[in-house]
Amino acid sequence: MTAKKAKQDELSFPMNKRLPFRIYIGYALGHVLNDVCAAMWFSYLLVFFHLVLGFKSGEAGVLLLVGQVADAVATPFIGYNSDKDHHWWIYRFGKRKIWYFMGSICVVLTFPFIFSPCISCQTASRLSQMIYYSFFIVFFQFGWAAVQIAHMSLMPEITSNEHQRTKLAAVRNGATVVASVLVYLVTWGVLQISGGSDKKIGAEDAARFQHIVWSVMVFGIVCSILFYIMIKEPLATKSGNEENYIAPISFKKIFLNPNLYLVGTVYMTSRLFINLTQVFISLYLSESLDMVASSLALVPLAIYIASFVASIPVGPITNLAGRKLTYVIGAILGICGCLWIHWGQGNNFKTYYIFVVSALLGSASTIVLVSSLDITTSLIGSKTSRGAFIYGIMSFADKLSNGVAVKVIQDVHNEDDHAGFYQDIMTYVCGGVLILGAAVVSMVNNRERKERHDMRGEAFRTSISTIT
């Protein structure tokens, strides 16, 4: 064996062998920077622009829509180019990881400007300020999409084993939960220490949001560096690794596959539930329940702690019950939480029961997300040469639907009479998308019966591994 071949074998993953523990840890760290930014984006963007900067609800909704549309447009483009085998020198670092690197740079250079007052234009017209923020939002979303697609498309390339892919999806979600918990802990600490327990969110909190953003981004940057060092992208080229090379599937076959649209709908509804819950839970707490500023961190924190706890058994449950039934279980938990919000009132609810609701919403978020990711990797199967493009299609539907939904909801919102508005959104919209997802997932045709039989013997090991 030549030295070059030995080096190649050292850097590539054993596609059908047990993955080392460091691969799970390294992969989990890879999306943390995106996760802390996403937690800030969905949980606090409308809060920051509406309650801190004084933008109208519709104007704040437009900015979120701009970001979601930019992300939606970028994902298929990035997915297509990430799948191509360019012979540029820069691609020697890996066709996935080079997009990951460029995306990370875009995120770091733009995201802090979104959660800060308009520099040298605070007295400018509202239109000028929206153009200013849209510039940074578009480049941030391009970078975020590049990191997401590169990271997700590495999953089916790291291993062809469905059981190991489920574990990778679980540890990825576990890292997302840890990152989000960090965001809410930092937010609670900054708002509690600086403002006291009875303070409401206001214009004077602009500088505090900057402290929050930089605190969590530093952690995310360190995790991205560790991912880049620990994970070596497997190279499956025709010349360099003949046994792992699989000819790309045609785009015609991709778009003629009915499962593409069914799985896309399942993934879209999963992300809609998670993102709309993140976006509107803070406004629900602030406007519908009239709770103090610290609750805007404590309740989302409780959601993500429950989400982390739910990530531990989701692997064994999937192995025993199958992807589709596991998704339905998660949807039922989420629907119960949404219904409780509809009837939840009074001091006991705001003091105690809101955290039970948070546990239901958090558990549902983890279960439906891991299940939908697992169903998506099953759709890709061994055709990893188009993996990034398929993930791009899924993400396109996810981002566009999220942006449109938030914009429509904010346009419908009546500034003068909003006491129960966000309560209804949490009940009917968030609960409704779960009902749709559960209905569609039953129509997905996959290979899970055979895979479940092969994986059942490994259920106990999965429960240990998903903790990481």
Side-chain angles (χ1 to χ4, degrees):
M1 180 182 292
T2 65
K4 183 176 180 181
K5 178 66 175 174
K7 181 69 173 175
Q8 175 64 43
D9 290 344
E10 179 185 346
L11 295 181
S12 299
F13 298 123
M15 291 292 288
N16 294 298
K17 297 181 181 179
R18 187 177 181 86
L19 292 178
F21 181 73
R22 65 177 178 83
I23 299 301
Y24 290 105
I25 295 298
Y27 185 78
L29 295 175
H31 208 254
V32 170
L33 177 60
N34 263 22
D35 291 331
V36 295
C37 292
M40 289 294 302
W41 172 265
F42 286 111
S43 295
Y44 299 119
L45 185 82
L46 296 185
V47 171
F48 180 75
F49 279 94
H50 183 48
L51 301 181
V52 177
L53 297 185
F55 281 53
K56 294 180 179 178
S57 295
E59 294 169 341
V62 166
L63 290 175
L64 193 142
L65 176 62
V66 167
Q68 296 304 106
V69 170
D71 195 347
V73 172
T75 46
F77 169 80
I78 293 169
Y80 173 76
N81 283 280
S82 176
D83 283 332
K84 292 187 69 174
D85 290 315
H86 295 289
H87 297 292
W88 304 336
W89 69 270
I90 199 170
Y91 267 65
R92 65 179 179 169
F93 298 104
K95 63 182 182 180
R96 310 298 187 197
K97 289 181 71 176
I98 190 58
W99 284 99
Y100 180 92
F101 176 77
M102 292 189 296
S104 299
I105 296 298
C106 287
V107 169
V108 171
L109 293 180
T110 58
F111 191 70
F113 291 96
I114 298 173
F115 281 89
S116 66
C118 190
I119 299 175
S120 301
C121 58
Q122 295 186 45
T123 59
S125 66
R126 187 67 81 205
L127 177 60
S128 298
Q129 292 186 41
M130 292 184 70
I131 293 173
Y132 167 90
Y133 284 111
S134 295
F135 172 83
F136 291 107
I137 286 172
V138 167
F139 278 94
F140 158 69
Q141 291 289 359
F142 175 85
W144 199 97
V147 172
Q148 182 198 36
I149 294 300
H151 190 259
M152 289 176 68
S153 57
L154 272 173
M155 186 193 304
E157 293 190 351
I158 287 175
T159 178
S160 59
N161 184 288
E162 294 289 341
H163 170 63
Q164 292 177 347
R165 288 180 179 181
T166 299
K167 291 164 67 175
L168 284 172
V171 297
R172 180 186 188 274
N173 184 74
T176 297
V177 172
V178 171
S180 301
V181 166
L182 174 67
V183 169
Y184 299 126
L185 282 174
V186 172
T187 302
W188 175 79
V190 171
L191 295 179
Q192 180 78 6
I193 292 171
S194 61
S197 58
D198 297 327
K199 182 182 175 298
K200 302 284 184 68
I201 290 288
E204 66 277 7
D205 292 307
R208 298 184 183 107
F209 273 92
Q210 275 287 287
H211 298 155
I212 296 167
V213 166
W214 278 111
S215 298
V216 298
M217 282 195 68
V218 167
F219 177 73
I221 292 169
V222 171
C223 290
S224 294
I225 294 172
L226 291 174
F227 164 81
Y228 216 83
I229 294 171
M230 296 173 68
I231 298 295
K232 306 296 183 181
E233 181 176 338
L235 304 177
T237 62
K238 193 170 184 177
S239 58
N241 200 1
E242 186 77 35
E243 65 273 15
N244 286 341
Y245 177 77
I246 298 175
I249 188 173
S250 68
F251 290 109
K252 181 180 179 181
K253 279 190 174 182
I254 291 175
F255 287 107
L256 288 179
N257 184 357
N259 262 2
L260 174 71
Y261 305 98
L262 295 175
V263 173
T265 301
V266 172
Y267 181 77
M268 179 190 71
T269 53
S270 303
R271 297 301 310 184
L272 265 174
F273 170 71
I274 295 167
N275 294 338
L276 293 181
T277 299
Q278 278 188 290
V279 169
F280 293 112
I281 189 69
S282 296
L283 292 170
Y284 162 68
L285 297 172
S286 178
E287 298 195 5
S288 296
L289 296 183
D290 196 31
M291 296 178 71
V292 297
S294 59
S295 68
L296 275 62
L298 285 176
V299 173
L301 175 61
I303 290 176
Y304 274 91
I305 290 175
S307 186
F308 178 76
V309 172
S311 70
I312 298 173
V314 70
I317 292 173
T318 301
N319 294 342
L320 296 173
R323 303 180 183 97
K324 296 194 288 186
L325 183 56
T326 302
Y327 186 98
V328 172
I329 292 171
I332 291 173
L333 291 175
I335 292 168
C336 290
C338 293
L339 290 175
W340 201 335
I341 285 175
H342 177 69
W343 286 297
Q345 295 179 3
N347 289 331
N348 283 337
F349 178 77
K350 290 192 286 186
T351 305
Y352 305 109
Y353 299 134
I354 187 64
F355 294 102
V356 180
V357 172
S358 300
L360 292 171
L361 298 178
S363 300
S365 297
T366 283
I367 295 172
V368 298
L369 179 59
V370 171
S371 299
S372 63
L373 283 173
D374 208 9
I375 291 169
T376 305
T377 58
S378 177
L379 173 68
I380 294 172
S382 61
K383 302 296 185 180
T384 62
S385 57
R386 296 295 186 204
F389 181 73
I390 293 174
Y391 279 125
I393 296 173
M394 303 296 170
S395 189
F396 174 84
D398 151 36
K399 301 302 166 34
L400 190 60
S401 61
N402 274 279
V404 171
V406 172
K407 179 63 172 64
V408 170
I409 289 169
Q410 290 299 94
D411 283 345
V412 172
H413 181 220
N414 186 337
E415 302 280 350
D416 300 324
D417 183 19
H418 53 64
F421 179 79
Y422 291 114
Q423 182 180 35
D424 291 339
I425 295 301
M426 292 294 298
T427 299
Y428 298 113
V429 178
C430 294
V433 295
L434 284 178
I435 294 173
L436 175 61
V440 174
V441 78
S442 63
M443 296 183 283
V444 174
N445 179 28
N446 56 40
R447 309 181 305 275
E448 73 175 18
R449 286 186 181 179
K450 178 181 180 299
E451 291 161 1
R452 187 162 71 248
H453 174 75
D454 295 337
M455 292 156 55
R456 186 168 287 158
E458 300 183 82
F460 176 74
R461 288 196 298 275
T462 304
S463 65
I464 301 300
S465 300
T466 51
I467 298 177
T468 64

